[in-house]
Amino acid sequence: MFDLYPYSTSNLFHALSNSFCAPAQISRIIQAQYLASYLSQLGAKTILVECTYIDGDYLDDFASYYVRCWKPYDRFCKRLHFFSESYTAEIIREFVAGGVHDTTPLSNSYLGFVVARPLPQAVIGKTVLKPYESNGRRYYPCTREYNANLFGIPLTVQSLPYQQQDTVLAACATVSLWSCLHMTGGLFATSCPRPATITRMANQVVGDFRPLPSRGLRIEQMCHALRCFDLEPEVVRISKALPLISLMYAYIHMGIPVLLLLEAGGLGHAVAVNGYRLESAQIRTEEVSGGCLPMRGLNVEKFYAHDDAMGPFARLWIKGPGTRPSDKVEVPVVFESNHKDANGAPLQLYPTAVILPVYNKIRLTFLELQMWLECLHFVVKSVWQDMHDLQWDIHLSTVNDFKADIRRSTFRDIASKERILLRAHPRFIWKSTLHSIAKGEVLEILADATDLKDSIPFYHMEIFDSERKATLTTNLQAPNIEKVLKQSITEQFYNCLKNWCTDPSGSISCSLQSSTLK
Amino acid sequence: MSHEKPRMGESAVNADNEKLERELRANMPKLEERLAKLKEAQFVSQELLKLEVSF
């Protein structure tokens, strides 16, 4: 059976309600208010409620906890489907069993679903909704295709699962891990465990609190949970020298969500960052006080995160640097979202650390790569002095995605495409492209992300302008320049660059050399 | 001892090279400082992992 309502905030609250939680109480839940606003922006016109729905994630929670409560919690949920077109019950019946075989209109208007849990407070269960429209600026790389079968009609939505925190089986850390693991499961064929399982695994490391009801996880517990599911946690401490925005961009671009750990109003909070808004012009002049490589982070206006205390794809505005109140550590950026402090002003979210849930073969980190790129930038910026508007676009990629991009490229000629496409590459690649804002792409250099940090990781470089390549080659061959570069960027790296300049294949013949930067 | 005359344009190239060399030498401390900062940023202490804050 199903119920059908025209979309409105009151109908949404009514559809989410249950015997423990009336619509009036639902209307006071921040996450429900966020959903109402979000669905309005998506253009929802119809709510279809599957009245009896078994949700695997909730069922696991139910078996782990609620079934042993004295109160008779229900094991069945409701599932709310949202459409951007107005439908009547008759039209839906026609689609389901009335002989209308072409369900394309229904599929095209599908916005996703929300599981309504039969609980007193944490009613918003697994939520898989479309992100905001891209508009050419919003990017959601950490989304994948999800199937929802409605009475036999297959519906799909490109999204990442979200749920409200319940602080019984899953606090914010568990929910953020759960969202991240859904995405990495699609990327790396690792598992997508239920929230209760994540909390159990994390608590194999002794924490501050009893495991259930869950009051939260410490960083080492989150790391342990990731290891249990065949991922490697890369923890990055937030310091004033860290180009945090470009770092997050570099991983999210490939579809790896970033677990961002924040200090909010004196408490710890974790969110799963899954997208970003990129402007065509620079928004800030520098990422780190004192300077670092000019990178894409200069153009990122905001991030989007699954925040279990707010909602899916919640905006995270990037503000200037600040000082974390608890330990007085200077941080390169402070975030703001829709959270408000006691005075109704935007709550300041101070980053504490990020955890990057990477596959074990991704070994070379963003910061390690950046050290080599700093050396390369030092050379090219000095040689090509007429270019004052250089910016690096650095991100991880799989070989397949990288080759697909090259095939689609209208910028490269056939010879350049063949050089890249017909050769072998590592499974994971750090792709770094140097752009001139005025002149477009200048240089592309590929690094083997599966390599060791002390080995020069680059294996292919291409300069798109033959005159610039000639200038670089001439300068690298000059004895006085050779001397100073060997001192500054290491002899091995200098030799690599020189060899590459004289090798028309674009391959860098130094992949087996090792060199440690000071 | 005979001095070979510089070919046409060679002196200009040499002058450019010397300028570039000065530029590179002047920027070396900045590069070293940035590399040191990056190295420092890579350090993750046990204190962070065992931070007494739950999320």
Side-chain angles (χ1 to χ4, degrees):
Chain A
M1 285 304 294
F2 69 92
D3 293 329
L4 201 76
Y5 307 98
Y7 181 81
S8 70
T9 301
S10 57
N11 283 342
L12 173 68
F13 294 160
H14 173 73
L16 287 170
S17 65
N18 60 62
S19 57
F20 297 106
C21 195
Q25 289 168 280
I26 300 272
S27 70
R28 290 192 286 275
I29 298 173
I30 288 173
Q31 294 90 335
Q33 293 168 1
Y34 178 94
L35 268 188
S37 159
Y38 186 80
L39 285 160
S40 296
Q41 287 183 58
L42 286 189
K45 297 266 177 61
T46 304
I47 309 173
L48 187 156
V49 182
E50 261 184 286
C51 299
T52 307
Y53 179 72
I54 296 174
D55 177 63
D57 290 299
Y58 173 69
L59 201 59
D60 205 34
D61 288 1
F62 181 80
S64 304
Y65 192 86
Y66 297 109
V67 73
R68 291 162 196 244
C69 296
W70 184 73
K71 268 190 192 170
Y73 291 110
D74 203 341
R75 68 190 177 95
F76 294 106
C77 301
K78 292 187 284 186
R79 184 160 67 157
L80 283 54
H81 299 269
F82 300 92
F83 297 91
S84 61
E85 295 291 339
S86 297
Y87 294 114
T88 61
E90 289 68 37
I91 294 173
I92 296 295
R93 285 201 161 85
E94 283 292 309
F95 275 122
V96 174
V100 178
H101 296 299
D102 182 10
T103 55
T104 314
L106 201 62
S107 307
N108 288 347
S109 65
Y110 192 56
L111 299 174
F113 64 85
V114 174
V115 170
R117 295 186 288 203
L119 296 174
Q121 183 66 27
V123 290
I124 299 168
K126 187 176 184 180
T127 296
V128 181
L129 291 174
K130 271 175 78 168
Y132 297 108
E133 285 298 317
S134 165
N135 292 341
R137 289 176 178 175
R138 300 186 190 114
Y139 297 87
Y140 306 96
C142 304
T143 55
R144 52 185 276 216
E145 196 173 278
Y146 283 86
N147 299 311
N149 197 293
L150 177 66
F151 309 130
I153 301 170
L155 300 169
T156 58
V157 60
Q158 185 77 22
S159 188
L160 184 69
Y162 162 86
Q163 72 169 38
Q164 180 188 356
Q165 70 170 273
D166 64 358
T167 62
V168 172
L169 287 132
C172 58
T174 297
V175 177
S176 301
L177 281 165
W178 172 75
S179 290
C180 288
L181 288 164
H182 260 273
M183 190 61 211
T184 51
L187 276 178
F188 308 126
T190 49
S191 54
C192 305
R194 313 279 190 202
T197 311
I198 296 170
T199 303
R200 262 197 304 274
M201 288 300 171
N203 278 285
Q204 287 176 349
V205 174
V206 177
D208 301 330
F209 308 113
R210 54 185 292 182
L212 296 177
S214 175
R215 296 278 180 268
L217 302 176
R218 292 200 323 209
I219 293 178
E220 63 174 343
Q221 290 181 306
M222 288 184 248
C223 291
H224 180 76
L226 288 171
R227 286 190 200 99
C228 288
F229 304 115
D230 300 321
L231 292 164
E232 291 296 334
E234 237 176 59
V235 182
V236 184
R237 179 177 54 100
I238 309 298
S239 63
K240 65 177 181 180
L242 183 75
L244 178 63
I245 309 167
S246 290
L247 179 143
M248 289 168 65
Y249 166 85
Y251 288 86
I252 294 170
H253 191 288
M254 181 179 139
I256 299 175
V258 172
L259 267 164
L260 176 62
L261 309 183
L262 300 158
E263 182 180 306
L267 299 171
H269 186 45
V271 297
V273 188
N274 47 52
Y276 48 83
R277 181 180 166 123
L278 197 63
E279 296 295 330
S280 51
Q282 285 192 7
I283 294 164
R284 51 193 72 81
T285 49
E286 62 177 14
E287 271 195 75
V288 166
S289 117
C292 66
L293 274 187
M295 290 179 280
R296 258 302 184 243
L298 296 171
N299 293 31
V300 175
E301 192 215 355
K302 61 172 87 100
F303 287 106
Y304 299 98
H306 277 17
D307 179 346
D308 69 346
M310 182 58 66
F313 304 110
R315 299 177 182 101
L316 266 184
W317 285 276
I318 302 162
K319 301 292 170 181
T323 304
R324 207 162 48 218
S326 64
D327 53 8
K328 309 296 175 212
V329 167
E330 289 178 56
V331 291
V333 289
V334 178
F335 296 100
E336 281 180 9
S337 71
N338 286 335
H339 291 290
K340 302 278 187 262
D341 65 13
N343 302 318
L347 186 64
Q348 302 292 292
L349 307 170
Y350 298 90
T352 303
V354 290
I355 304 178
L356 306 156
V358 297
Y359 189 63
N360 63 51
K361 278 184 76 177
I362 300 173
R363 296 163 185 136
L364 188 72
T365 68
F366 172 83
L367 290 175
E368 288 160 357
L369 174 77
Q370 225 200 349
M371 292 187 70
W372 293 107
L373 289 175
E374 280 281 6
C375 292
L376 180 59
H377 191 76
F378 169 75
V379 178
V380 297
K381 190 187 67 166
S382 303
V383 173
W384 301 329
Q385 286 190 14
D386 58 316
M387 301 180 106
H388 304 289
D389 57 352
L390 294 172
Q391 190 184 81
W392 286 92
D393 184 342
I394 305 166
H395 60 84
L396 263 175
S397 179
T398 62
V399 58
N400 292 345
D401 286 346
F402 170 66
K403 286 192 172 179
D405 281 347
I406 297 289
R407 285 192 69 233
R408 282 193 296 265
S409 167
T410 50
F411 171 71
R412 291 165 188 270
D413 57 26
I414 291 173
S416 166
K417 283 186 178 181
E418 284 194 346
R419 269 199 300 277
I420 293 278
L421 294 171
L422 299 181
R423 64 164 295 171
H425 293 267
R427 180 173 167 194
F428 299 105
I429 299 164
W430 277 108
K431 181 186 172 204
S432 308
T433 312
L434 184 63
H435 293 261
S436 154
I437 292 161
K439 293 169 184 159
E441 290 183 33
V442 180
L443 175 157
E444 178 181 271
I445 189 158
L446 305 178
D448 176 4
T450 69
D451 205 348
L452 311 170
K453 75 180 171 71
D454 287 340
S455 167
I456 294 170
F458 301 119
Y459 68 93
H460 186 93
M461 181 160 92
E462 196 148 343
I463 294 174
F464 300 110
D465 180 331
S466 55
E467 271 185 41
R468 291 200 181 279
K469 185 174 177 181
T471 316
L472 182 63
T473 310
T474 309
N475 281 300
L476 286 175
Q477 287 170 336
N480 59 332
I481 303 299
E482 177 179 343
K483 195 175 165 193
V484 67
L485 288 182
K486 280 182 174 174
Q487 281 172 18
S488 52
I489 67 166
T490 76
E491 185 171 345
Q492 292 87 343
F493 192 31
Y494 165 79
N495 288 334
C496 285
L497 289 178
K498 199 171 91 169
N499 291 345
W500 167 78
C501 280
T502 51
D503 181 352
S505 73
S507 294
I508 298 176
S509 51
C510 62
S511 57
L512 296 178
Q513 290 193 27
S514 69
S515 181
T516 307
L517 290 166
K518 280 184 280 181
Chain B
M1 220 172 133
S2 69
H3 288 280
E4 212 178 303
K5 260 184 147 181
R7 284 177 298 231
M8 199 180 303
E10 196 170 284
S11 56
V13 170
N14 286 342
D16 280 353
N17 271 340
E18 281 163 19
K19 190 174 163 233
L20 177 59
E21 184 191 343
R22 281 197 300 277
E23 172 106 9
L24 288 167
R25 285 200 187 281
N27 285 333
M28 264 171 72
K30 200 170 168 186
L31 173 68
E32 281 168 12
E33 187 191 327
R34 284 185 175 191
L35 293 179
K37 270 188 185 173
L38 282 170
K39 200 145 201 169
E40 203 262 324
Q42 287 173 38
F43 176 71
V44 177
S45 67
Q46 281 301 307
E47 283 74 33
L48 178 69
L49 298 180
K50 295 187 185 297
L51 195 70
E52 294 292 321
V53 178
S54 291
F55 298 90

